[in-house]
Amino acid sequence: MPASSVQTAPARSWYLASSHPRIACQQLAGEERADVCIVGGGYTGINTAIELAERGLSVVLLEAGHLGWGASGRNGGQLIRGIGHGLDQFAPIIGQQGVRDLKLMGIEAVQLVRERIERFAIDCDLTWGYCDLANKPRHLEDFEQARSELQSLGYAHEMRMIPRDELASIVASDRYVGGMTDMGSGHLHPLNLLLGEAQAAHQLGVHLYENSRVLRIAEGPQVRVETATGSVVADHLVLACNAYLRDLHPQLSGKVLPAGSYVIATEPLGAERARQLIPQNMALCDQRVDLDYYRLTADHRLLFGGACHYSGRDPADIAAYMRPKMLRVFPQLADVRIDFHWGGMIGIGANRLPQIGRLPDQPNVYYAQAYAGHGINATHLAAKLLGEAISGQASQGFDLFRQVPHMTFPGGRHLRAPLLALGMLWTKMKEAL
């Protein structure tokens, strides 16, 4: 991967430019002992640390870069109900009740984020309101089915079908045939959420270390985790690296494919012009394979993302690549400057269900990864389930996720992404029919 890759050197994002002050974190030096060592300083790692610290366990967390360096600090900021895709496919494995429980956890996951923000008074621009946008009439049928199902599950938030002739009240674009709003989903500043949670973890006594890339892991009854400048000996290990796990644990990294997603942020549009684009300040997302997602920021910019890439290669100029996509939705922004552009990797599994569990041959090594674009809420759910399991608390949800098998992507490290890119191209061709 070239040095300019978003995997190693992300461009400066609007999130970085508008983030709150960070807590001071040192590099690991010498040896530490803890009940749990966590590798990865994103939502999964930080929130698992909170869950464990609140249960009285000592925790050391190691981050290779800075806290929130990965997808947790770069994503589109959309907080949307649900986990996984096509959950009914798992009925032969976990039964109909198991599928229902997964769907209920998809609702619970958003509530976990809400509660975390409220409990620790995290300033992250949380705004409620989301709209699924239909590219084709059949998408509206899917929305109706989803709404009926959520109502049968006791979903407490308003959901409303939006016909095409009312869509201007949601978005100033003629690209869609309708939509469905959901007032139980919304958007936020993802990096400020992460930094607020890191502050909470620090206050709970978690030892947070940055610039502490893990080089070796020695598994056993006690796990030894080594960096270039120190080591941690712990009873339990949590691998929370998601798309950035790479060679640290090939058994797990082969089950998650890093896929590039890219974001641009316009210059400030002013409150009036911004609200002309998205009158109710909702987060929005269409239904295509290489979907568009967008929203307004607190300082009245349009933040526009999408273009999920499986090729392993990033656009040479993200702004030039994404701007035409934005103008297809909002041609009225042709005169607007792009102030920020960045990208990063999300983790996707073959069956699109988050992978949460522990290694069968190393029961004190836990992991969570492959959130497939629903990372803000799914990571918080994963952290709760990991906290329950590691602390010895009965966790029906953790056991449910462990039952679902996850295939290793074929092709090995170098061929895996190109092979999947071909598969996704075929899917996009079928989508166009």
Side-chain angles (χ1 to χ4, degrees):
M1 188 70 64
S4 61
S5 166
V6 295
Q7 289 213 44
T8 56
R12 183 169 173 78
S13 70
W14 175 78
Y15 298 136
L16 282 172
S18 58
S19 62
H20 297 325
R22 295 170 173 267
I23 61 173
C25 294
Q26 303 299 315
Q27 185 180 54
L28 178 67
E31 183 172 293
E32 288 213 21
R33 175 71 175 85
D35 294 323
V36 184
C37 178
I38 298 173
V39 182
Y43 290 137
T44 303
I46 292 293
N47 282 279
T48 300
I50 291 174
E51 295 281 350
L52 293 170
E54 288 183 324
R55 291 171 168 84
L57 279 73
S58 61
V59 182
V60 172
L61 183 145
L62 304 175
E63 163 58 37
H66 295 287
L67 299 178
W69 181 91
S72 298
R74 306 189 218 170
N75 65 76
Q78 301 210 5
L79 176 61
I80 306 171
R81 70 186 185 276
I83 51 171
H85 299 257
L87 296 179
D88 290 319
Q89 67 180 297
F90 304 116
I93 302 169
I94 59 176
Q96 292 295 339
Q97 183 59 48
V99 170
R100 178 180 173 84
D101 289 342
L102 286 179
K103 293 175 180 178
L104 288 170
M105 282 189 278
I107 298 172
E108 177 193 6
V110 173
Q111 183 62 24
L112 291 172
V113 180
R114 181 197 296 260
E115 292 171 355
R116 186 77 85 221
I117 292 169
E118 292 175 352
R119 177 177 176 188
F120 295 107
I122 298 173
D123 179 10
C124 59
D125 304 331
L126 177 61
T127 304
W128 294 108
Y130 167 75
C131 185
D132 274 312
L133 296 167
N135 301 90
K136 298 179 178 181
R138 65 177 174 82
H139 294 151
L140 295 173
E141 299 174 6
D142 296 339
F143 295 166
E144 285 278 16
Q145 182 178 347
R147 185 175 67 156
S148 296
E149 181 177 72
L150 283 164
Q151 290 173 339
S152 72
L153 292 170
Y155 194 61
H157 304 284
E158 178 189 1
M159 304 185 74
R160 191 164 72 88
M161 297 297 300
I162 309 296
R164 188 170 198 161
D165 60 1
E166 295 181 20
L167 203 55
S169 67
I170 303 296
V171 59
S173 177
D174 59 4
R175 191 168 171 81
Y176 311 106
V177 301
M180 181 179 71
T181 60
D182 171 15
M183 298 310 296
S185 299
H187 57 95
L188 48 74
H189 189 303
L191 181 55
N192 280 340
L193 171 60
L194 186 281
L195 295 178
E197 292 173 332
Q199 179 67 46
H202 175 70
Q203 292 172 347
L204 288 166
V206 176
H207 291 195
L208 302 170
Y209 293 101
E210 295 182 324
N211 300 310
S212 300
R213 180 179 298 278
V214 174
L215 303 177
R216 287 174 296 278
I217 297 173
E219 298 174 352
Q222 286 191 323
V223 179
R224 184 179 182 86
V225 182
E226 298 181 359
T227 72
T229 56
S231 61
V232 181
V233 177
D235 298 323
H236 305 278
L237 173 66
V238 177
L239 296 172
C241 305
N242 196 25
Y244 295 92
L245 184 61
R246 301 183 216 174
D247 293 332
L248 187 59
H249 203 295
Q251 180 180 348
L252 293 176
S253 62
K255 298 181 184 299
V256 57
L257 186 77
S261 189
Y262 309 99
V263 188
I264 54 177
T266 68
E267 64 183 300
L269 303 175
E272 182 177 356
R273 189 175 187 184
R275 286 303 180 101
Q276 288 175 352
L277 294 179
I278 306 176
Q280 299 183 45
N281 195 20
M282 291 185 172
L284 302 106
C285 182
D286 72 9
Q287 308 304 301
R288 297 174 306 115
V289 173
D290 54 345
L291 77 172
D292 294 332
Y293 54 84
Y294 47 91
R295 63 184 183 89
L296 300 175
T297 64
D299 61 350
H300 311 302
R301 303 172 188 269
L302 177 70
L303 190 151
F304 191 98
C308 199
H309 269 208
Y310 298 84
S311 67
R313 300 178 62 86
D314 308 314
D317 185 335
I318 292 173
Y321 180 72
M322 291 298 298
R323 182 183 177 87
K325 297 178 182 295
M326 178 188 76
L327 294 180
R328 282 196 286 270
V329 178
F330 295 116
Q332 61 268 48
L333 296 183
D335 63 325
V336 169
R337 183 182 71 242
I338 303 300
D339 276 356
F340 298 92
H341 58 90
W342 67 96
M345 296 292 158
I346 61 175
I348 299 178
N351 61 17
R352 309 297 289 275
L353 182 74
Q355 300 166 13
I356 305 170
R358 62 183 175 214
L359 299 182
D361 55 343
Q362 285 293 332
N364 60 344
V365 178
Y366 295 76
Y367 61 89
Q369 60 184 21
Y371 302 113
H374 279 257
I376 296 180
N377 63 327
T379 51
H380 288 68
L381 175 67
K384 174 178 178 287
L385 301 181
L386 290 170
E388 292 171 348
I390 294 171
S391 64
Q393 181 180 348
S395 179
Q396 180 181 355
F398 182 80
D399 293 338
L400 198 60
F401 274 96
R402 286 184 62 206
Q403 292 179 49
V404 178
H406 300 280
M407 67 167 279
T408 298
F409 283 102
R413 178 182 176 187
H414 298 290
L415 292 178
R416 190 176 294 139
L419 285 173
L420 188 58
L422 288 174
M424 294 307 295
L425 178 62
W426 171 243
T427 302
K428 289 168 64 176
M429 291 172 63
K430 291 194 297 181
E431 179 183 69
L433 297 178

